[in-house]
Structure formats: structure tokens, C-alpha cells
């Protein structure tokens, strides 16, 4: 079966750095996506990786290793507004998105 | 600003009632999706549509149907609501090509009593 694993919850301190991991086992791979979802709101697109390596976008970076079935989202200089759930999703061989359950990130002052 | 609008943020219905959830997008997107989101689970795809009058079953279509009569509108129908359909329902759309980048609506939280 297809599976995406990410930690259920993480806690970090304002101003620090946090890394949210995602491992996947899917039938085929056509890209990995990270979304941010604030409580009670819609998910919003953060990043897309299809080749191995690091993609940087401001304070957020996303890394992919296809051979290891592994990705991480790196958040730097954490702000209170970064408190949210972060969803990892993989586009499989049928171009369907397979979603992880999400990681709830709690930022403490 | 691009927008996906869902008709109702909160609904309370009784078991056996027919429920309509409406979704409209203003981005001229071909692809539209209905998901449900439950605590501890990833988003689960109910139905999707790649074109007007076209629909495809997702992973959990049982108990649901959809309608896409116009490109901008995608409706989810619960013919006879049951308590296990209490959930957050999310509509999303995407353009051709980059099908993993979805634009979501705010969600409709449905409670079935």
C-alpha cells in the first residue's frame, strides 16, 4: 500500500530552527509537496520538489531524497505565526496526491 | 486574488437528510477535487473532476455523489447523511500540468446528528 509518515506533533521556540521530516512509500513518484494549514483554515501550498536536493524559499526550505523516500521541511527564524499543521503529500504514478496526516507545529515564546 | 469559495462553513444536519456542499472557483481551473479531513488521518479524496460533466471516484466515494455542470462549480452531494460523514470537507482546484499544487477552499464543517 501507499504510505506517508510524518510526526504528529512538534514543539519549537520562537527564533529557532525546526525540521519536519516526511518519509513515503508510494507507487511511483511525480513530486512531493508541502502545505501549511493554520487551525480552522484551508491548506496553502508551500513547496514542491521533484528532483533531489534543497529548494529554498525565504525562511522555508524543502529537501528531497528520492532514493531514500525522504523529505524534510526546514523552517528558520521561527515566528509565532508559523504555528500550524504542515502536510506532506506525494504525487504518485497516477498523478494522484497521497497525503500524510500532518505535523502540528507548536511555537513557544 | 485567486479564490475557491465553499458555500457553507458550518452545517448541522440530521441522519437521512440530503446535503449539498457547493464549491466555486474563479481561476478557470480544469481540475476540481473534494476531500474530507479527519483528525489523525491524511486528506482523503472523495471525488474529482478534470472537466465539465466529468467525474472520477477517489478513494472513499461511497455515500457521496458529485455534479459538475459548469467549469467553475463542483458540488458534493450526500444523498442520505449518516453520522460517520461528520467531518471537514475541503474543495480544491488546480490548473493543467502542475496537478499537485492545489488551491483550497476554507472548508465546510458538517455535523450529522
Amino acid at each position: 500500500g501507499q504510505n506517508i509518515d510524518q510526526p504528529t506533533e512538534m514543539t519549537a521556540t520562537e527564533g529557532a530552527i525546526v525540521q519536519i521530516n516526511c518519509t513515503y512509500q508510494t507507487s511511483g513518484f511525480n513530486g512531493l509537496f508541502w502545505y501549511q494549514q493554520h487551525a480552522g483554515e484551508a491548506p496553502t501550498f508551500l513547496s514542491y520538489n521533484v528532483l533531489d536536493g534543497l529548494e529554498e524559499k525565504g525562511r522555508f526550505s524543502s529537501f528531497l531524497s528520492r532514493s531514500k523516500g525522504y523529505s524534510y521541511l526546514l523552517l528558520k527564524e521561527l515566528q509565532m505565526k508559523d504555528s500550524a499543521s504542515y502536510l506532506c503529500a506525494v504525487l504518485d504514478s497516477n498523478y494522484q496526491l497521497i497525503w500524510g496526516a500532518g505535523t502540528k507545529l507548536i511555537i513557544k515564546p | 486574488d485567486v479564490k475557491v469559495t465553499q458555500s457553507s462553513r458550518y452545517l448541522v444536519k440530521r441522519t437521512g437528510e440530503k446535503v449539498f456542499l457547493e464549491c466555486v472557483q474563479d481561476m478557470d481551473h480544469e481540475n476540481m477535487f473534494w476531500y474530507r479531513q479527519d483528525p489523525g488521518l491524511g486528506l482523503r479524496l472523495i471525488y474529482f473532476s478534470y472537466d465539465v460533466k466529468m467525474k472520477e471516484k477517489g478513494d472513499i466515494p461511497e455515500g457521496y455523489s458529485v455534479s459538475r455542470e459548469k467549469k467553475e462549480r463542483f458540488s458534493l452531494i450526500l444523498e442520505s447523511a449518516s453520522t460517520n460523514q461528520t467531518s471537514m470537507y475541503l474543495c480544491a482546484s488546480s490548473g493543467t500540468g502542475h496537478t499537485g499544487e492545489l488551491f483550497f477552499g476554507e472548508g465546510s464543517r458538517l455535523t450529522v446528528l
Side-chain angles (χ1 to χ4, degrees), chain B residues 62-86:
Chain B
E62 296 78 18
Y64 304 94
S65 61
V66 291
S67 172
R68 192 163 182 203
E69 295 296 317
K70 294 185 177 181
K71 188 176 186 179
E72 67 270 18
R73 188 179 297 270
F74 193 36
S75 303
L76 180 69
I77 303 148
L78 288 68
E79 293 290 340
S80 178
S82 63
T83 54
N84 63 10
Q85 293 178 309
T86 292

mmCIF file of all heavy atoms in Angstrom, chain B residues 62-86:
data_model
loop_
_atom_site.group_PDB
_atom_site.id
_atom_site.type_symbol
_atom_site.label_atom_id
_atom_site.label_comp_id
_atom_site.label_asym_id
_atom_site.label_seq_id
_atom_site.Cartn_x
_atom_site.Cartn_y
_atom_site.Cartn_z
ATOM 1 N N GLU B 62 -18.024 6.136 -1.461
ATOM 2 C CA GLU B 62 -19.281 5.537 -1.014
ATOM 3 C C GLU B 62 -20.073 6.525 -0.167
ATOM 4 O O GLU B 62 -19.557 7.111 0.779
ATOM 5 C CB GLU B 62 -18.994 4.270 -0.201
ATOM 6 C CG GLU B 62 -18.330 3.149 -0.978
ATOM 7 C CD GLU B 62 -16.831 3.367 -1.193
ATOM 8 O OE1 GLU B 62 -16.238 4.201 -0.452
ATOM 9 O OE2 GLU B 62 -16.272 2.727 -2.086
ATOM 10 N N GLY B 63 -21.321 6.669 -0.520
ATOM 11 C CA GLY B 63 -22.199 7.567 0.217
ATOM 12 C C GLY B 63 -22.210 8.992 -0.309
ATOM 13 O O GLY B 63 -22.919 9.846 0.230
ATOM 14 N N TYR B 64 -21.429 9.235 -1.356
ATOM 15 C CA TYR B 64 -21.322 10.583 -1.935
ATOM 16 C C TYR B 64 -21.571 10.536 -3.440
ATOM 17 O O TYR B 64 -21.363 9.504 -4.084
ATOM 18 C CB TYR B 64 -19.917 11.163 -1.707
ATOM 19 C CG TYR B 64 -19.455 11.219 -0.275
ATOM 20 C CD1 TYR B 64 -18.695 10.180 0.273
ATOM 21 C CD2 TYR B 64 -19.767 12.316 0.527
ATOM 22 C CE1 TYR B 64 -18.269 10.231 1.592
ATOM 23 C CE2 TYR B 64 -19.333 12.368 1.845
ATOM 24 C CZ TYR B 64 -18.580 11.319 2.362
ATOM 25 O OH TYR B 64 -18.151 11.380 3.666
ATOM 26 N N SER B 65 -21.992 11.655 -3.973
ATOM 27 C CA SER B 65 -22.014 11.849 -5.415
ATOM 28 C C SER B 65 -21.609 13.289 -5.697
ATOM 29 O O SER B 65 -21.519 14.102 -4.762
ATOM 30 C CB SER B 65 -23.399 11.549 -6.011
ATOM 31 O OG SER B 65 -24.371 12.425 -5.471
ATOM 32 N N VAL B 66 -21.334 13.595 -6.946
ATOM 33 C CA VAL B 66 -20.889 14.938 -7.313
ATOM 34 C C VAL B 66 -21.572 15.371 -8.590
ATOM 35 O O VAL B 66 -22.124 14.570 -9.340
ATOM 36 C CB VAL B 66 -19.353 15.023 -7.490
ATOM 37 C CG1 VAL B 66 -18.622 14.864 -6.170
ATOM 38 C CG2 VAL B 66 -18.875 14.011 -8.517
ATOM 39 N N SER B 67 -21.470 16.673 -8.821
ATOM 40 C CA SER B 67 -22.019 17.251 -10.042
ATOM 41 C C SER B 67 -21.122 18.377 -10.501
ATOM 42 O O SER B 67 -20.710 19.220 -9.693
ATOM 43 C CB SER B 67 -23.422 17.797 -9.776
ATOM 44 O OG SER B 67 -23.906 18.515 -10.889
ATOM 45 N N ARG B 68 -20.810 18.381 -11.805
ATOM 46 C CA ARG B 68 -20.046 19.492 -12.369
ATOM 47 C C ARG B 68 -20.688 19.880 -13.696
ATOM 48 O O ARG B 68 -20.299 19.408 -14.754
ATOM 49 C CB ARG B 68 -18.579 19.128 -12.560
ATOM 50 C CG ARG B 68 -17.741 20.389 -12.856
ATOM 51 C CD ARG B 68 -16.301 20.153 -12.644
ATOM 52 N NE ARG B 68 -15.538 21.373 -12.896
ATOM 53 C CZ ARG B 68 -14.257 21.365 -13.218
ATOM 54 N NH1 ARG B 68 -13.599 20.217 -13.329
ATOM 55 N NH2 ARG B 68 -13.629 22.501 -13.424
ATOM 56 N N GLU B 69 -21.645 20.784 -13.589
ATOM 57 C CA GLU B 69 -22.380 21.261 -14.760
ATOM 58 C C GLU B 69 -21.690 22.459 -15.417
ATOM 59 O O GLU B 69 -21.857 22.707 -16.603
ATOM 60 C CB GLU B 69 -23.804 21.628 -14.369
ATOM 61 C CG GLU B 69 -24.634 20.436 -13.907
ATOM 62 C CD GLU B 69 -24.835 19.414 -15.010
ATOM 63 O OE1 GLU B 69 -25.115 19.809 -16.162
ATOM 64 O OE2 GLU B 69 -24.689 18.202 -14.733
ATOM 65 N N LYS B 70 -20.926 23.195 -14.632
ATOM 66 C CA LYS B 70 -20.166 24.338 -15.142
ATOM 67 C C LYS B 70 -18.721 24.216 -14.683
ATOM 68 O O LYS B 70 -18.442 23.641 -13.629
ATOM 69 C CB LYS B 70 -20.767 25.653 -14.664
ATOM 70 C CG LYS B 70 -22.152 25.938 -15.208
ATOM 71 C CD LYS B 70 -22.628 27.314 -14.778
ATOM 72 C CE LYS B 70 -23.987 27.627 -15.381
ATOM 73 N NZ LYS B 70 -24.469 28.976 -15.001
ATOM 74 N N LYS B 71 -17.822 24.782 -15.450
ATOM 75 C CA LYS B 71 -16.397 24.622 -15.158
ATOM 76 C C LYS B 71 -16.039 25.134 -13.768
ATOM 77 O O LYS B 71 -15.192 24.565 -13.083
ATOM 78 C CB LYS B 71 -15.567 25.366 -16.214
ATOM 79 C CG LYS B 71 -14.077 25.125 -16.126
ATOM 80 C CD LYS B 71 -13.353 25.822 -17.269
ATOM 81 C CE LYS B 71 -11.872 25.480 -17.273
ATOM 82 N NZ LYS B 71 -11.161 26.146 -18.399
ATOM 83 N N GLU B 72 -16.670 26.217 -13.350
ATOM 84 C CA GLU B 72 -16.265 26.849 -12.102
ATOM 85 C C GLU B 72 -16.909 26.231 -10.856
ATOM 86 O O GLU B 72 -16.528 26.572 -9.750
ATOM 87 C CB GLU B 72 -16.602 28.350 -12.152
ATOM 88 C CG GLU B 72 -18.089 28.670 -12.171
ATOM 89 C CD GLU B 72 -18.650 28.744 -13.582
ATOM 90 O OE1 GLU B 72 -18.000 28.220 -14.523
ATOM 91 O OE2 GLU B 72 -19.731 29.341 -13.727
ATOM 92 N N ARG B 73 -17.865 25.341 -11.039
ATOM 93 C CA ARG B 73 -18.647 24.864 -9.899
ATOM 94 C C ARG B 73 -18.588 23.338 -9.782
ATOM 95 O O ARG B 73 -18.797 22.613 -10.755
ATOM 96 C CB ARG B 73 -20.104 25.317 -10.069
ATOM 97 C CG ARG B 73 -20.999 25.066 -8.876
ATOM 98 C CD ARG B 73 -22.408 25.588 -9.187
ATOM 99 N NE ARG B 73 -22.405 27.026 -9.388
ATOM 100 C CZ ARG B 73 -22.585 27.915 -8.429
ATOM 101 N NH1 ARG B 73 -22.777 27.515 -7.191
ATOM 102 N NH2 ARG B 73 -22.579 29.206 -8.710
ATOM 103 N N PHE B 74 -18.332 22.876 -8.559
ATOM 104 C CA PHE B 74 -18.243 21.435 -8.292
ATOM 105 C C PHE B 74 -18.987 21.178 -6.994
ATOM 106 O O PHE B 74 -18.603 21.697 -5.939
ATOM 107 C CB PHE B 74 -16.774 21.023 -8.183
ATOM 108 C CG PHE B 74 -16.502 19.544 -8.214
ATOM 109 C CD1 PHE B 74 -17.252 18.687 -9.001
ATOM 110 C CD2 PHE B 74 -15.451 18.999 -7.481
ATOM 111 C CE1 PHE B 74 -16.978 17.325 -9.053
ATOM 112 C CE2 PHE B 74 -15.167 17.642 -7.519
ATOM 113 C CZ PHE B 74 -15.931 16.803 -8.310
ATOM 114 N N SER B 75 -20.046 20.396 -7.075
ATOM 115 C CA SER B 75 -20.910 20.172 -5.917
ATOM 116 C C SER B 75 -20.747 18.758 -5.389
ATOM 117 O O SER B 75 -20.621 17.800 -6.155
ATOM 118 C CB SER B 75 -22.376 20.394 -6.309
ATOM 119 O OG SER B 75 -22.557 21.694 -6.834
ATOM 120 N N LEU B 76 -20.768 18.655 -4.082
ATOM 121 C CA LEU B 76 -20.724 17.355 -3.401
ATOM 122 C C LEU B 76 -22.084 17.106 -2.781
ATOM 123 O O LEU B 76 -22.630 17.996 -2.123
ATOM 124 C CB LEU B 76 -19.639 17.353 -2.329
ATOM 125 C CG LEU B 76 -19.470 16.058 -1.539
ATOM 126 C CD1 LEU B 76 -18.893 14.952 -2.431
ATOM 127 C CD2 LEU B 76 -18.569 16.274 -0.327
ATOM 128 N N ILE B 77 -22.611 15.913 -2.993
ATOM 129 C CA ILE B 77 -23.948 15.577 -2.513
ATOM 130 C C ILE B 77 -23.867 14.345 -1.625
ATOM 131 O O ILE B 77 -23.261 13.333 -2.004
ATOM 132 C CB ILE B 77 -24.893 15.304 -3.708
ATOM 133 C CG1 ILE B 77 -24.920 16.531 -4.620
ATOM 134 C CG2 ILE B 77 -26.305 14.980 -3.206
ATOM 135 C CD1 ILE B 77 -25.115 16.200 -6.065
ATOM 136 N N LEU B 78 -24.470 14.477 -0.444
ATOM 137 C CA LEU B 78 -24.647 13.327 0.431
ATOM 138 C C LEU B 78 -26.119 12.962 0.336
ATOM 139 O O LEU B 78 -26.985 13.700 0.806
ATOM 140 C CB LEU B 78 -24.272 13.670 1.871
ATOM 141 C CG LEU B 78 -22.796 13.856 2.212
ATOM 142 C CD1 LEU B 78 -22.195 15.088 1.562
ATOM 143 C CD2 LEU B 78 -22.604 13.885 3.717
ATOM 144 N N GLU B 79 -26.421 11.861 -0.327
ATOM 145 C CA GLU B 79 -27.816 11.513 -0.611
ATOM 146 C C GLU B 79 -28.616 11.266 0.669
ATOM 147 O O GLU B 79 -29.777 11.630 0.765
ATOM 148 C CB GLU B 79 -27.873 10.275 -1.507
ATOM 149 C CG GLU B 79 -27.333 10.497 -2.910
ATOM 150 C CD GLU B 79 -28.236 11.384 -3.761
ATOM 151 O OE1 GLU B 79 -29.431 11.534 -3.430
ATOM 152 O OE2 GLU B 79 -27.740 11.944 -4.768
ATOM 153 N N SER B 80 -27.984 10.616 1.632
ATOM 154 C CA SER B 80 -28.642 10.318 2.905
ATOM 155 C C SER B 80 -27.567 10.354 3.984
ATOM 156 O O SER B 80 -26.857 9.377 4.196
ATOM 157 C CB SER B 80 -29.313 8.940 2.830
ATOM 158 O OG SER B 80 -29.904 8.607 4.060
ATOM 159 N N ALA B 81 -27.455 11.504 4.623
ATOM 160 C CA ALA B 81 -26.346 11.718 5.547
ATOM 161 C C ALA B 81 -26.362 10.723 6.697
ATOM 162 O O ALA B 81 -27.425 10.348 7.220
ATOM 163 C CB ALA B 81 -26.395 13.143 6.091
ATOM 164 N N SER B 82 -25.170 10.301 7.087
ATOM 165 C CA SER B 82 -25.017 9.409 8.230
ATOM 166 C C SER B 82 -24.012 10.018 9.196
ATOM 167 O O SER B 82 -23.206 10.882 8.824
ATOM 168 C CB SER B 82 -24.560 8.022 7.779
ATOM 169 O OG SER B 82 -23.285 8.110 7.172
ATOM 170 N N THR B 83 -24.035 9.564 10.441
ATOM 171 C CA THR B 83 -23.172 10.164 11.467
ATOM 172 C C THR B 83 -21.690 9.987 11.123
ATOM 173 O O THR B 83 -20.872 10.838 11.503
ATOM 174 C CB THR B 83 -23.464 9.554 12.845
ATOM 175 O OG1 THR B 83 -23.346 8.124 12.763
ATOM 176 C CG2 THR B 83 -24.870 9.908 13.321
ATOM 177 N N ASN B 84 -21.335 8.931 10.410
ATOM 178 C CA ASN B 84 -19.916 8.746 10.067
ATOM 179 C C ASN B 84 -19.459 9.670 8.937
ATOM 180 O O ASN B 84 -18.285 9.620 8.516
ATOM 181 C CB ASN B 84 -19.588 7.281 9.754
ATOM 182 C CG ASN B 84 -20.325 6.759 8.537
ATOM 183 O OD1 ASN B 84 -20.950 7.512 7.791
ATOM 184 N ND2 ASN B 84 -20.264 5.453 8.322
ATOM 185 N N GLN B 85 -20.346 10.504 8.467
ATOM 186 C CA GLN B 85 -19.976 11.521 7.487
ATOM 187 C C GLN B 85 -19.748 12.883 8.141
ATOM 188 O O GLN B 85 -19.492 13.879 7.452
ATOM 189 C CB GLN B 85 -21.024 11.621 6.377
ATOM 190 C CG GLN B 85 -21.067 10.366 5.510
ATOM 191 C CD GLN B 85 -22.124 10.431 4.432
ATOM 192 O OE1 GLN B 85 -23.297 10.730 4.706
ATOM 193 N NE2 GLN B 85 -21.738 10.132 3.189
ATOM 194 N N THR B 86 -19.828 12.897 9.452
ATOM 195 C CA THR B 86 -19.430 14.101 10.185
ATOM 196 C C THR B 86 -17.937 14.322 9.956
ATOM 197 O O THR B 86 -17.124 13.454 10.251
ATOM 198 C CB THR B 86 -19.722 13.933 11.686
ATOM 199 O OG1 THR B 86 -21.128 13.908 11.886
ATOM 200 C CG2 THR B 86 -19.097 15.068 12.495
#
